Amino acid sequence: MTKVIVFVDHKRGVIKKATAESLSVGKNIAGQTPLTAVMFGAGAKDAVSCLSKYGADREIVFDNKHLKNPVSLNAVKPLVAIIKQEQPDIILFPHTAAVKELLAAVSANLGIAPIVDCVAIENTDGKLICHRPIYAGKVVVSLTSNQKPTIVSIRPNIFPVIERSAKTKIEEFAFQLNATDILTTIREISCDGKTRPELMEAKIIIAGGRGMGCAENFVVLEQLADVLGAAVGASRSVVDAEWQPQCIQIGQTGKTVAPELYIACGISGAIQHLAGIYSSKTIVAINSDPDAPIFKIADYGIIGDVKEVVPALIQELKKAKQSS
Amino acid sequence: MNILVCVKVVPDSETIVKIAPDSKTIDETNIRLAINPYDEYALEAGVQLKEKVGGEVSVISVGDENASGVVKKCLPVGADRAIHLVALNSRMAEPLSIASVLADEIRSHPFDIIFCGKMTIDAQNGLVGELLGSLLNIPVVSAASQFSIEGDRAVVSRDVDGTKQIVECALPCLVTAEKGLTKPRYPSLKEIMLAKKKQIDPKPVILGEPNLCVHGLNYPPNRPAGKIIGEGAGAVPELVRLLTEEAKVL
């Protein structure tokens, strides 16, 4: 009997892929015990069909007029109240930027030491051994918690999504949230207008480094990304040179990604960068320097100038698309 | 304005990490210690705020005895004082224990704002700032890429899972720094000399009993050696074939 609660991260009612992964992990741990999803915000009830698909047997929903940003620090009081009522053994969070402040606030409130950013979880009779990378992924530590509940977050894009069909029962949670409970307010949200997938959830990532030559040459990477439905990333040196913004940096002081396909264009492969892409399923490297360290970890390499190879790749992919 | 900055002394990012014979820690010999890079952005943000509105910057660090030399390096950057909470074997301690010790110390200091780095590059939990803010019962805004004060409120821009947010909260608050929030300065020789007069207060502290048990450290599995398909644009058709038929990722 392992009672598991999964906290749902979503954008205006659309659950994130990392949430589906968390539910899949949660169901594996819970086994025959009903799996509970907790979702806050206006779209919570409408998301029930989606939560059923990933195995949630119950959905606890909460909404309140003050809670304009339901996946935030402001949700700490109702979430703590739900945990106290439900007495779960394990609370699972997707390890997304939006969730992190809330996870910490819940942990501080309950006096629980959380285990975050896990890439593998072993379950022996409800006792979890959680594996998480440290030192930029140079080593992996395995940990267990001796506290109940155990608070765990899982790294996006690592765990498989498993589709199931559960009958999800919706339960509304009653809680008095006041205006004074709102600690942070969002003044403005903006997207960059691009329709590309988010780096952390992308199946394919095209990343560029110094070898791109200049900021303008990233246009060709964006074209390649559009052909493949991919996200665009950048190496640290490119961000430091201000060719690309910090928010797309991949590596130790940027994002750690794990796509199915990572295409490194003009990236030499400093150890700090390799740490950020190590869990990718397939890595392709295109670089003019045959001795670049990136070739040591790439599954497939092409030695050559990215300015010639990438446009050729775009043409070849378009051709393949048309013929299929 | 009373500005606090929390910093941690960590092995620098070039460190070659070797697992120690106990298989639960890393070999600490020949490790070069440095201020955690994200904490440098936080410190610079604190110093820039002081330069703009006046006040004092105090640096607080929890760490082993050998960390004090590195903590001192915050002084020439513009911190007025540094408090070193000396806790033995604390470098990889649980974030909640570290945050509790910091909170206990900070409760005896007046403050308007606390800056932390968004995560440390050794344990990479990215939790101490958020936990500390919650323990002190103040708003927390993490991973700031821009920061300003407007009246009695802090205004922060940040990137959250692919969207840009502008978030605001009342002071006092805690802000954690993303890379690029500031450009850390290199102190001049004069500042380094002047900083020698500034104090660093060591205070022994005891961390709470751990709640997490470390089973062991392992190296990640090696990626099998890949293959060079060829040179130049001529190799592209073969790459597409391999990605489609062998790797099955297209």
Side-chain angles (χ1 to χ4, degrees), chain A residues 16 97-98 100-101 132-133 135-136 138 140 142 144 146 185 187-188 190 198 240 242 249 253 278 280-281 298-301 303, chain B residues 13 15 38 91 122-124 126 130 142 150 158 161 164 166 168 179 183 211 213 215-216 218 221 223 226-227 229-232 246:
Chain A
K16 291 190 184 164
K100 214 180 70 163
E101 288 163 8
R132 57 182 305 272
Y135 296 100
K138 291 171 196 167
V140 178
S142 51
T144 47
N146 59 22
T185 52
R187 186 189 280 188
E188 205 180 301
S190 56
E198 212 274 303
D240 287 353
E242 296 181 2
Q249 185 189 320
T253 50
Y278 205 84
S280 306
K281 191 175 160 222
D299 300 281
Y300 305 113
I303 299 164
Chain B
S13 66
T15 301
Y38 292 105
R91 195 165 61 72
D122 51 358
Q124 61 185 59
E130 286 85 346
S142 49
E150 292 181 15
R158 61 171 172 185
D161 304 316
K164 287 248 176 302
I166 300 175
E168 55 174 90
K179 184 190 165 203
K183 282 201 172 67
N211 288 306
C213 164
H215 285 253
N218 286 292
R223 290 187 73 95
K227 56 182 154 195
I229 300 166
E231 289 186 27
E246 190 177 84

Short mmCIF file of all heavy atoms in Angstrom, two decimals, chain A residues 16 97-98 100-101 132-133 135-136 138 140 142 144 146 185 187-188 190 198 240 242 249 253 278 280-281 298-301 303, chain B residues 13 15 38 91 122-124 126 130 142 150 158 161 164 166 168 179 183 211 213 215-216 218 221 223 226-227 229-232 246:
data_model
loop_
_atom_site.label_atom_id
_atom_site.label_comp_id
_atom_site.label_asym_id
_atom_site.label_seq_id
_atom_site.Cartn_x
_atom_site.Cartn_y
_atom_site.Cartn_z
N LYS A 16 1.32 19.50 -18.72
CA LYS A 16 2.62 19.42 -19.39
C LYS A 16 3.04 17.96 -19.52
O LYS A 16 2.61 17.11 -18.76
CB LYS A 16 3.67 20.19 -18.58
CG LYS A 16 3.44 21.69 -18.62
CD LYS A 16 4.60 22.45 -18.04
CE LYS A 16 4.29 23.93 -18.01
NZ LYS A 16 5.20 24.66 -17.13
N ALA A 97 10.50 24.48 -13.86
CA ALA A 97 10.81 25.77 -13.22
C ALA A 97 9.61 26.31 -12.45
O ALA A 97 9.75 26.86 -11.36
CB ALA A 97 11.28 26.77 -14.27
N ALA A 98 8.42 26.11 -13.02
CA ALA A 98 7.21 26.66 -12.40
C ALA A 98 6.95 26.03 -11.04
O ALA A 98 6.46 26.68 -10.11
CB ALA A 98 6.01 26.45 -13.33
N LYS A 100 9.13 24.55 -8.87
CA LYS A 100 10.21 24.47 -7.89
C LYS A 100 9.96 25.28 -6.60
O LYS A 100 10.19 24.78 -5.51
CB LYS A 100 11.51 24.91 -8.55
CG LYS A 100 12.71 24.16 -8.00
CD LYS A 100 13.98 24.60 -8.65
CE LYS A 100 14.34 26.00 -8.21
NZ LYS A 100 15.73 26.37 -8.46
N GLU A 101 9.46 26.51 -6.75
CA GLU A 101 9.23 27.33 -5.56
C GLU A 101 8.17 26.71 -4.67
O GLU A 101 8.26 26.74 -3.45
CB GLU A 101 8.77 28.74 -5.95
CG GLU A 101 9.87 29.58 -6.56
CD GLU A 101 9.33 30.79 -7.30
OE1 GLU A 101 8.11 31.06 -7.22
OE2 GLU A 101 10.12 31.44 -7.98
N ARG A 132 19.96 10.80 -8.69
CA ARG A 132 20.00 12.15 -9.26
C ARG A 132 21.43 12.55 -9.60
O ARG A 132 22.36 12.27 -8.85
CB ARG A 132 19.33 13.17 -8.34
CG ARG A 132 19.90 13.27 -6.93
CD ARG A 132 19.11 14.27 -6.10
NE ARG A 132 19.07 15.54 -6.76
CZ ARG A 132 20.00 16.49 -6.62
NH1 ARG A 132 21.01 16.32 -5.80
NH2 ARG A 132 19.91 17.63 -7.27
N PRO A 133 21.59 13.21 -10.75
CA PRO A 133 22.94 13.64 -11.14
C PRO A 133 23.41 14.81 -10.27
O PRO A 133 22.62 15.69 -9.92
CB PRO A 133 22.78 14.10 -12.59
CG PRO A 133 21.41 13.66 -13.01
CD PRO A 133 20.60 13.55 -11.77
N TYR A 135 27.24 17.34 -9.54
CA TYR A 135 28.48 17.80 -10.20
C TYR A 135 28.28 17.82 -11.71
O TYR A 135 29.05 17.20 -12.46
CB TYR A 135 29.67 16.90 -9.82
CG TYR A 135 30.02 16.94 -8.35
CD1 TYR A 135 29.61 15.93 -7.49
CD2 TYR A 135 30.74 18.01 -7.82
CE1 TYR A 135 29.93 15.97 -6.15
CE2 TYR A 135 31.05 18.05 -6.47
CZ TYR A 135 30.65 17.04 -5.64
OH TYR A 135 30.97 17.08 -4.30
N ALA A 136 27.26 18.48 -12.16
CA ALA A 136 26.97 18.62 -13.59
C ALA A 136 26.85 17.28 -14.28
O ALA A 136 27.18 17.15 -15.45
CB ALA A 136 28.04 19.48 -14.27
N LYS A 138 28.52 14.62 -13.67
CA LYS A 138 29.75 13.83 -13.70
C LYS A 138 29.59 12.58 -12.83
O LYS A 138 30.23 11.57 -13.07
CB LYS A 138 30.94 14.66 -13.23
CG LYS A 138 31.33 15.78 -14.21
CD LYS A 138 32.36 16.71 -13.60
CE LYS A 138 32.47 18.02 -14.37
NZ LYS A 138 33.23 19.03 -13.61
N VAL A 140 26.42 10.34 -10.29
CA VAL A 140 25.00 10.21 -9.94
C VAL A 140 24.94 9.69 -8.51
O VAL A 140 25.63 8.73 -8.16
CB VAL A 140 24.30 9.22 -10.89
CG1 VAL A 140 22.84 9.03 -10.50
CG2 VAL A 140 24.41 9.70 -12.33
N SER A 142 22.71 8.08 -5.31
CA SER A 142 21.46 7.40 -5.00
C SER A 142 21.10 7.64 -3.54
O SER A 142 21.95 7.55 -2.65
CB SER A 142 21.54 5.91 -5.31
OG SER A 142 22.69 5.36 -4.72
N THR A 144 17.90 7.62 -0.30
CA THR A 144 16.56 7.30 0.19
C THR A 144 16.22 8.29 1.30
O THR A 144 17.11 8.84 1.95
CB THR A 144 16.47 5.88 0.81
OG1 THR A 144 17.57 5.70 1.68
CG2 THR A 144 16.45 4.80 -0.24
N ASN A 146 14.16 8.99 4.92
CA ASN A 146 13.53 8.27 6.03
C ASN A 146 12.32 9.03 6.57
O ASN A 146 11.88 8.80 7.68
CB ASN A 146 14.56 7.96 7.14
CG ASN A 146 15.19 9.22 7.69
OD1 ASN A 146 14.62 10.31 7.59
ND2 ASN A 146 16.37 9.10 8.27
N THR A 185 2.99 38.21 -7.54
CA THR A 185 2.00 38.39 -8.60
C THR A 185 2.70 38.53 -9.94
O THR A 185 3.81 39.09 -10.03
CB THR A 185 1.13 39.65 -8.38
OG1 THR A 185 2.01 40.76 -8.16
CG2 THR A 185 0.22 39.50 -7.19
N ARG A 187 3.00 40.18 -13.38
CA ARG A 187 2.59 41.43 -14.01
C ARG A 187 2.39 41.20 -15.50
O ARG A 187 1.53 41.79 -16.12
CB ARG A 187 3.69 42.47 -13.79
CG ARG A 187 3.33 43.85 -14.27
CD ARG A 187 4.54 44.77 -14.21
NE ARG A 187 4.77 45.28 -12.87
CZ ARG A 187 5.68 46.22 -12.62
NH1 ARG A 187 6.45 46.69 -13.58
NH2 ARG A 187 5.85 46.66 -11.40
N GLU A 188 3.20 40.34 -16.06
CA GLU A 188 3.17 40.17 -17.51
C GLU A 188 3.71 38.80 -17.88
O GLU A 188 4.67 38.33 -17.29
CB GLU A 188 4.10 41.24 -18.11
CG GLU A 188 3.79 41.64 -19.52
CD GLU A 188 4.79 42.69 -19.99
OE1 GLU A 188 4.88 43.76 -19.36
OE2 GLU A 188 5.49 42.40 -20.97
N SER A 190 4.88 36.74 -21.45
CA SER A 190 4.98 36.84 -22.90
C SER A 190 5.72 35.65 -23.46
O SER A 190 6.65 35.14 -22.86
CB SER A 190 5.69 38.14 -23.28
OG SER A 190 6.95 38.19 -22.65
N GLU A 198 9.14 23.62 -26.24
CA GLU A 198 9.97 24.07 -25.13
C GLU A 198 11.18 23.14 -25.04
O GLU A 198 11.08 21.93 -25.21
CB GLU A 198 9.11 24.01 -23.87
CG GLU A 198 9.45 25.05 -22.85
CD GLU A 198 10.56 24.59 -21.96
OE1 GLU A 198 10.40 23.55 -21.34
OE2 GLU A 198 11.60 25.27 -21.90
N ASP A 240 27.48 33.73 -24.07
CA ASP A 240 28.39 34.73 -23.52
C ASP A 240 28.75 35.79 -24.56
O ASP A 240 28.99 36.95 -24.23
CB ASP A 240 29.67 34.06 -22.99
CG ASP A 240 29.40 33.32 -21.68
OD1 ASP A 240 28.28 33.44 -21.16
OD2 ASP A 240 30.30 32.61 -21.21
N GLU A 242 26.70 36.84 -26.62
CA GLU A 242 25.41 37.53 -26.84
C GLU A 242 24.85 37.30 -28.24
O GLU A 242 24.12 38.14 -28.77
CB GLU A 242 25.51 39.02 -26.47
CG GLU A 242 25.81 39.19 -24.99
CD GLU A 242 25.91 40.63 -24.54
OE1 GLU A 242 25.72 41.53 -25.38
OE2 GLU A 242 26.17 40.83 -23.34
N GLN A 249 20.47 28.49 -23.34
CA GLN A 249 21.79 27.87 -23.11
C GLN A 249 21.64 26.44 -22.57
O GLN A 249 20.85 26.18 -21.68
CB GLN A 249 22.63 28.68 -22.13
CG GLN A 249 24.04 28.09 -21.99
CD GLN A 249 24.84 28.73 -20.87
OE1 GLN A 249 24.79 29.93 -20.66
NE2 GLN A 249 25.59 27.91 -20.14
N THR A 253 25.79 25.62 -16.77
CA THR A 253 25.12 26.82 -16.25
C THR A 253 23.92 27.18 -17.12
O THR A 253 23.48 28.32 -17.15
CB THR A 253 26.10 28.01 -16.13
OG1 THR A 253 26.80 28.13 -17.38
CG2 THR A 253 27.06 27.82 -15.00
N TYR A 278 24.05 14.70 -21.94
CA TYR A 278 24.49 13.32 -21.79
C TYR A 278 23.35 12.30 -21.89
O TYR A 278 23.53 11.20 -22.40
CB TYR A 278 25.21 13.17 -20.44
CG TYR A 278 26.18 12.03 -20.42
CD1 TYR A 278 27.47 12.18 -20.90
CD2 TYR A 278 25.80 10.78 -19.94
CE1 TYR A 278 28.37 11.14 -20.91
CE2 TYR A 278 26.69 9.72 -19.94
CZ TYR A 278 27.98 9.90 -20.43
OH TYR A 278 28.85 8.86 -20.44
N SER A 280 20.70 12.45 -23.69
CA SER A 280 19.99 12.44 -24.97
C SER A 280 20.09 11.04 -25.57
O SER A 280 21.09 10.35 -25.41
CB SER A 280 20.62 13.44 -25.94
OG SER A 280 20.69 14.72 -25.34
N LYS A 281 19.02 10.63 -26.30
CA LYS A 281 19.04 9.27 -26.84
C LYS A 281 20.07 9.16 -27.98
O LYS A 281 20.93 8.31 -27.95
CB LYS A 281 17.63 8.91 -27.35
CG LYS A 281 17.49 7.45 -27.68
CD LYS A 281 16.04 7.11 -28.06
CE LYS A 281 16.01 5.81 -28.84
NZ LYS A 281 15.10 5.84 -29.97
N ALA A 298 29.25 11.59 -29.52
CA ALA A 298 28.19 11.63 -30.54
C ALA A 298 28.00 10.25 -31.15
O ALA A 298 28.97 9.51 -31.35
CB ALA A 298 28.56 12.64 -31.63
N ASP A 299 26.74 9.89 -31.44
CA ASP A 299 26.47 8.60 -32.09
C ASP A 299 26.87 8.68 -33.56
O ASP A 299 27.38 7.73 -34.13
CB ASP A 299 24.99 8.26 -31.94
CG ASP A 299 24.59 8.16 -30.49
OD1 ASP A 299 24.87 7.13 -29.88
OD2 ASP A 299 24.05 9.15 -29.94
N TYR A 300 26.57 9.83 -34.17
CA TYR A 300 26.90 10.02 -35.58
C TYR A 300 27.60 11.37 -35.74
O TYR A 300 27.15 12.37 -35.17
CB TYR A 300 25.64 10.03 -36.45
CG TYR A 300 24.78 8.79 -36.27
CD1 TYR A 300 23.52 8.87 -35.69
CD2 TYR A 300 25.24 7.54 -36.69
CE1 TYR A 300 22.74 7.74 -35.52
CE2 TYR A 300 24.46 6.40 -36.52
CZ TYR A 300 23.21 6.50 -35.93
OH TYR A 300 22.45 5.38 -35.76
N GLY A 301 28.67 11.39 -36.51
CA GLY A 301 29.39 12.64 -36.71
C GLY A 301 29.61 12.92 -38.18
O GLY A 301 29.80 12.01 -38.99
N ILE A 303 32.17 15.48 -40.29
CA ILE A 303 33.22 16.48 -40.23
C ILE A 303 32.99 17.44 -41.39
O ILE A 303 32.98 17.03 -42.56
CB ILE A 303 34.62 15.83 -40.34
CG1 ILE A 303 34.81 14.86 -39.15
CG2 ILE A 303 35.71 16.90 -40.34
CD1 ILE A 303 35.95 13.90 -39.35
N SER B 13 34.07 24.63 -11.73
CA SER B 13 33.38 23.84 -12.76
C SER B 13 34.33 22.97 -13.58
O SER B 13 33.90 22.06 -14.27
CB SER B 13 32.56 24.75 -13.67
OG SER B 13 33.43 25.59 -14.40
N THR B 15 36.51 21.03 -12.26
CA THR B 15 36.94 19.92 -11.41
C THR B 15 36.70 18.56 -12.07
O THR B 15 35.63 18.29 -12.62
CB THR B 15 36.15 19.95 -10.08
OG1 THR B 15 36.40 21.19 -9.46
CG2 THR B 15 36.58 18.82 -9.15
N TYR B 38 26.59 30.95 -9.72
CA TYR B 38 25.30 31.66 -9.60
C TYR B 38 25.31 32.63 -8.41
O TYR B 38 24.62 33.64 -8.43
CB TYR B 38 24.15 30.67 -9.44
CG TYR B 38 23.90 29.83 -10.67
CD1 TYR B 38 24.29 28.50 -10.74
CD2 TYR B 38 23.28 30.39 -11.79
CE1 TYR B 38 24.06 27.75 -11.88
CE2 TYR B 38 23.05 29.65 -12.92
CZ TYR B 38 23.44 28.32 -12.97
OH TYR B 38 23.21 27.58 -14.10
N ARG B 91 29.41 20.49 3.07
CA ARG B 91 29.29 20.92 1.67
C ARG B 91 28.16 20.22 0.93
O ARG B 91 27.47 20.83 0.13
CB ARG B 91 30.62 20.74 0.93
CG ARG B 91 30.65 21.50 -0.39
CD ARG B 91 32.04 21.63 -0.95
NE ARG B 91 32.65 20.36 -1.24
CZ ARG B 91 32.28 19.57 -2.25
NH1 ARG B 91 31.33 19.95 -3.06
NH2 ARG B 91 32.88 18.43 -2.44
N ASP B 122 27.62 22.00 -7.41
CA ASP B 122 28.03 20.69 -6.90
C ASP B 122 26.81 19.80 -6.59
O ASP B 122 26.57 18.81 -7.25
CB ASP B 122 29.00 20.80 -5.70
CG ASP B 122 28.51 21.69 -4.59
OD1 ASP B 122 27.43 22.29 -4.71
OD2 ASP B 122 29.22 21.80 -3.57
N ALA B 123 26.00 20.21 -5.63
CA ALA B 123 24.84 19.38 -5.27
C ALA B 123 23.66 19.60 -6.22
O ALA B 123 22.76 18.77 -6.32
CB ALA B 123 24.41 19.66 -3.84
N GLN B 124 23.65 20.71 -6.91
CA GLN B 124 22.63 21.13 -7.89
C GLN B 124 21.19 20.81 -7.51
O GLN B 124 20.39 20.35 -8.33
CB GLN B 124 22.98 20.66 -9.31
CG GLN B 124 23.10 19.18 -9.57
CD GLN B 124 23.57 18.90 -11.01
OE1 GLN B 124 24.63 19.32 -11.43
NE2 GLN B 124 22.76 18.18 -11.78
N GLY B 126 19.28 23.36 -6.13
CA GLY B 126 18.54 24.58 -6.43
C GLY B 126 17.39 24.79 -5.48
O GLY B 126 16.28 25.12 -5.89
N GLU B 130 14.93 29.00 -2.02
CA GLU B 130 13.48 28.83 -1.90
C GLU B 130 13.08 28.35 -0.50
O GLU B 130 12.10 28.83 0.07
CB GLU B 130 12.97 27.83 -2.95
CG GLU B 130 12.93 28.37 -4.38
CD GLU B 130 14.27 28.24 -5.10
OE1 GLU B 130 15.30 27.98 -4.46
OE2 GLU B 130 14.27 28.41 -6.34
N SER B 142 12.42 33.00 -7.96
CA SER B 142 13.65 32.30 -8.32
C SER B 142 14.05 32.55 -9.77
O SER B 142 13.22 32.91 -10.61
CB SER B 142 13.52 30.81 -8.04
OG SER B 142 12.33 30.32 -8.59
N GLU B 150 10.93 48.86 -7.40
CA GLU B 150 9.99 49.95 -7.71
C GLU B 150 9.22 50.26 -6.44
O GLU B 150 8.35 49.50 -6.04
CB GLU B 150 9.04 49.52 -8.84
CG GLU B 150 9.75 49.35 -10.18
CD GLU B 150 8.78 48.94 -11.30
OE1 GLU B 150 7.55 49.06 -11.11
OE2 GLU B 150 9.27 48.48 -12.35
N ARG B 158 11.93 36.77 -15.56
CA ARG B 158 12.54 35.43 -15.60
C ARG B 158 11.91 34.59 -16.70
O ARG B 158 10.84 34.91 -17.20
CB ARG B 158 12.37 34.74 -14.26
CG ARG B 158 10.89 34.56 -13.89
CD ARG B 158 10.79 33.71 -12.68
NE ARG B 158 9.43 33.64 -12.18
CZ ARG B 158 9.11 33.02 -11.06
NH1 ARG B 158 10.03 32.45 -10.34
NH2 ARG B 158 7.86 32.97 -10.67
N ASP B 161 10.01 27.81 -18.04
CA ASP B 161 9.64 26.75 -18.98
C ASP B 161 9.23 27.33 -20.33
O ASP B 161 8.18 27.00 -20.87
CB ASP B 161 8.51 25.89 -18.39
CG ASP B 161 8.89 25.31 -17.03
OD1 ASP B 161 10.02 24.83 -16.91
OD2 ASP B 161 8.07 25.35 -16.10
N LYS B 164 8.37 34.04 -20.85
CA LYS B 164 8.95 35.13 -20.05
C LYS B 164 7.88 35.64 -19.09
O LYS B 164 6.75 35.87 -19.46
CB LYS B 164 9.36 36.29 -20.96
CG LYS B 164 10.58 36.00 -21.78
CD LYS B 164 11.76 36.87 -21.33
CE LYS B 164 13.03 36.53 -22.09
NZ LYS B 164 13.44 35.12 -21.96
N ILE B 166 7.13 38.56 -15.92
CA ILE B 166 7.56 39.64 -15.03
C ILE B 166 6.76 39.46 -13.74
O ILE B 166 5.53 39.49 -13.76
CB ILE B 166 7.34 41.02 -15.65
CG1 ILE B 166 8.14 41.13 -16.96
CG2 ILE B 166 7.78 42.12 -14.69
CD1 ILE B 166 7.91 42.41 -17.73
N GLU B 168 6.22 40.37 -9.53
CA GLU B 168 6.56 41.33 -8.50
C GLU B 168 6.11 40.86 -7.14
O GLU B 168 5.19 40.03 -7.01
CB GLU B 168 5.97 42.71 -8.82
CG GLU B 168 4.48 42.72 -9.04
CD GLU B 168 3.97 44.14 -9.21
OE1 GLU B 168 3.95 44.60 -10.35
OE2 GLU B 168 3.62 44.76 -8.19
N LYS B 179 21.99 32.83 -14.34
CA LYS B 179 23.17 33.33 -15.04
C LYS B 179 22.75 34.51 -15.90
O LYS B 179 21.69 34.48 -16.52
CB LYS B 179 23.74 32.22 -15.92
CG LYS B 179 25.01 32.61 -16.61
CD LYS B 179 25.44 31.62 -17.66
CE LYS B 179 26.49 32.26 -18.53
NZ LYS B 179 26.59 31.63 -19.83
N LYS B 183 26.73 40.99 -14.56
CA LYS B 183 28.08 40.59 -14.97
C LYS B 183 29.01 40.83 -13.79
O LYS B 183 29.31 41.98 -13.47
CB LYS B 183 28.54 41.43 -16.17
CG LYS B 183 27.94 41.00 -17.48
CD LYS B 183 28.81 41.51 -18.64
CE LYS B 183 28.33 40.94 -19.95
NZ LYS B 183 27.00 41.46 -20.34
N ASN B 211 18.10 13.57 7.02
CA ASN B 211 16.91 12.77 6.75
C ASN B 211 17.04 11.94 5.50
O ASN B 211 16.20 11.09 5.22
CB ASN B 211 15.68 13.68 6.61
CG ASN B 211 15.27 14.25 7.95
OD1 ASN B 211 15.06 13.52 8.90
ND2 ASN B 211 15.21 15.58 8.04
N CYS B 213 19.46 9.39 3.20
CA CYS B 213 20.59 8.47 3.34
C CYS B 213 21.23 8.28 1.97
O CYS B 213 20.54 7.95 0.99
CB CYS B 213 20.05 7.16 3.90
SG CYS B 213 21.18 5.80 3.72
N HIS B 215 23.15 6.21 -0.54
CA HIS B 215 23.54 4.81 -0.76
C HIS B 215 24.88 4.73 -1.45
O HIS B 215 25.67 3.84 -1.19
CB HIS B 215 22.49 4.10 -1.62
CG HIS B 215 21.27 3.78 -0.85
ND1 HIS B 215 20.94 2.52 -0.46
CD2 HIS B 215 20.31 4.59 -0.36
CE1 HIS B 215 19.83 2.55 0.24
NE2 HIS B 215 19.42 3.79 0.30
N GLY B 216 25.10 5.65 -2.37
CA GLY B 216 26.38 5.62 -3.06
C GLY B 216 26.42 6.57 -4.23
O GLY B 216 25.40 7.13 -4.64
N ASN B 218 27.82 6.90 -8.25
CA ASN B 218 28.24 6.12 -9.42
C ASN B 218 28.54 7.06 -10.57
O ASN B 218 27.96 8.15 -10.64
CB ASN B 218 27.12 5.17 -9.85
CG ASN B 218 26.99 4.00 -8.90
OD1 ASN B 218 27.88 3.15 -8.83
ND2 ASN B 218 25.91 3.97 -8.15
N PRO B 221 26.60 5.82 -16.98
CA PRO B 221 27.08 4.84 -17.96
C PRO B 221 27.75 5.54 -19.13
O PRO B 221 27.32 6.62 -19.55
CB PRO B 221 25.80 4.12 -18.40
CG PRO B 221 24.68 5.01 -17.99
CD PRO B 221 25.15 5.81 -16.82
N ARG B 223 28.66 6.47 -22.83
CA ARG B 223 27.98 6.38 -24.12
C ARG B 223 28.88 5.56 -25.05
O ARG B 223 30.08 5.79 -25.09
CB ARG B 223 27.76 7.76 -24.71
CG ARG B 223 26.73 8.60 -23.98
CD ARG B 223 26.45 9.88 -24.74
NE ARG B 223 25.66 9.60 -25.94
CZ ARG B 223 24.35 9.71 -25.99
NH1 ARG B 223 23.68 10.07 -24.94
NH2 ARG B 223 23.70 9.45 -27.11
N GLY B 226 30.70 6.49 -31.03
CA GLY B 226 29.88 6.67 -32.22
C GLY B 226 30.70 6.50 -33.48
O GLY B 226 31.84 6.05 -33.45
N LYS B 227 30.09 6.82 -34.60
CA LYS B 227 30.86 6.72 -35.84
C LYS B 227 30.83 8.02 -36.63
O LYS B 227 29.84 8.75 -36.61
CB LYS B 227 30.36 5.55 -36.69
CG LYS B 227 28.89 5.59 -37.03
CD LYS B 227 28.51 4.35 -37.84
CE LYS B 227 27.05 4.00 -37.66
NZ LYS B 227 26.67 2.69 -38.10
N ILE B 229 30.47 9.57 -39.99
CA ILE B 229 29.83 9.11 -41.23
C ILE B 229 30.62 9.55 -42.45
O ILE B 229 30.74 8.82 -43.43
CB ILE B 229 28.39 9.66 -41.32
CG1 ILE B 229 27.57 9.17 -40.12
CG2 ILE B 229 27.74 9.24 -42.62
CD1 ILE B 229 26.27 9.90 -39.96
N GLY B 230 31.16 10.75 -42.37
CA GLY B 230 31.91 11.23 -43.52
C GLY B 230 32.19 12.71 -43.41
O GLY B 230 32.04 13.29 -42.32
N GLU B 231 32.62 13.29 -44.52
CA GLU B 231 32.97 14.71 -44.51
C GLU B 231 32.04 15.51 -45.40
O GLU B 231 31.66 15.05 -46.48
CB GLU B 231 34.41 14.90 -44.96
CG GLU B 231 35.41 14.40 -43.92
CD GLU B 231 36.84 14.71 -44.29
OE1 GLU B 231 37.07 15.70 -45.02
OE2 GLU B 231 37.72 13.97 -43.84
N GLY B 232 31.69 16.70 -44.92
CA GLY B 232 30.95 17.66 -45.72
C GLY B 232 29.54 17.23 -46.08
O GLY B 232 29.01 16.23 -45.56
N GLU B 246 18.28 3.30 -38.49
CA GLU B 246 19.03 2.68 -37.39
C GLU B 246 18.60 3.27 -36.04
O GLU B 246 18.17 2.55 -35.15
CB GLU B 246 20.53 2.89 -37.61
CG GLU B 246 21.40 2.07 -36.67
CD GLU B 246 22.88 2.26 -36.98
OE1 GLU B 246 23.48 3.25 -36.50
OE2 GLU B 246 23.44 1.42 -37.71
#
